[in-house]
Amino acid sequence: MWLGTPMCPPFLLNISSTLPVESCGMCVSSCRLAAIALLVLKDEEDAFWCLVAVVEIIMPQDYYSKTLTASQADQRVFRDFLAEKMPRLTAHFKEHSIDHSLITFNWFLVVFVESLVSDILLRVWDAFLYEGTKETNEHSI
């Protein structure tokens, strides 16, 4: 779902006036983040400001850009973290030519919204909103 399409909710259209698409890369992952904010906060304005905080303050610059530069860097950091914490799994991935980012890239873009059951997700999000992105690597293991 991209901004400007008939399926885009008005909530995300309001965000586009504050967060230019070119700078934050409004895309499907933004919709997932907005959805969890709306689900928990139940107020569009609060959810809007939560999404603004995630995209502009908590996540690194260019995390949601068209090139996903910071997201790709995050995957390289995670690869090293995975090798340190789970060397056998890393070796298994290498032996079978499995790129971990095929599995984990979306985890990081949507901060686990699609991967965890709600009670665990809310705990992870509490830590994420309080501690920032360092929590995403720790919870991904």
Side-chain angles (χ1 to χ4, degrees):
M1 179 183 317
W2 293 91
L3 289 176
T5 66
M7 294 178 57
C8 186
F11 170 70
L12 289 178
L13 291 174
N14 293 338
I15 292 170
S16 70
S17 65
T18 303
L19 301 173
V21 174
E22 298 80 31
S23 67
C24 75
M26 282 295 171
C27 58
V28 173
S29 59
S30 304
C31 293
R32 304 294 191 274
L33 298 174
I36 194 68
L38 275 170
L39 185 66
V40 172
L41 300 171
K42 303 204 184 335
D43 177 70
E44 278 193 16
E45 185 174 353
D46 291 342
F48 168 81
W49 289 113
C50 179
L51 185 60
V52 168
V54 169
V55 171
E56 289 192 340
I57 299 167
I58 297 172
M59 298 303 258
Q61 186 177 3
D62 292 331
Y63 207 84
Y64 298 105
S65 69
K66 290 181 182 182
T67 59
L68 299 170
T69 306
S71 304
Q72 292 176 34
D74 220 8
Q75 288 299 305
R76 288 190 291 279
V77 169
F78 177 69
R79 180 191 61 217
D80 295 342
F81 189 63
L82 186 65
E84 177 186 317
K85 298 292 184 184
M86 302 179 87
R88 287 181 44 205
L89 179 61
T90 302
H92 182 76
F93 280 177
K94 283 183 183 177
E95 179 183 336
H96 296 286
S97 301
I98 298 171
D99 181 1
H100 76 279
S101 66
L102 295 173
I103 301 163
T104 62
F105 198 74
N106 195 52
W107 293 357
F108 288 82
L109 279 179
V110 298
V111 195
F112 304 104
V113 166
E114 298 175 334
S115 333
L116 300 173
V117 294
S118 60
D119 58 333
I120 296 171
L121 174 66
L122 294 176
R123 290 179 187 163
V124 168
W125 265 70
D126 279 345
F128 164 70
L129 292 173
Y130 184 72
E131 296 288 333
T133 56
K134 75 177 188 172
E135 288 298 312
T136 54
N137 274 329
E138 292 178 16
H139 285 95
S140 59
I141 296 289

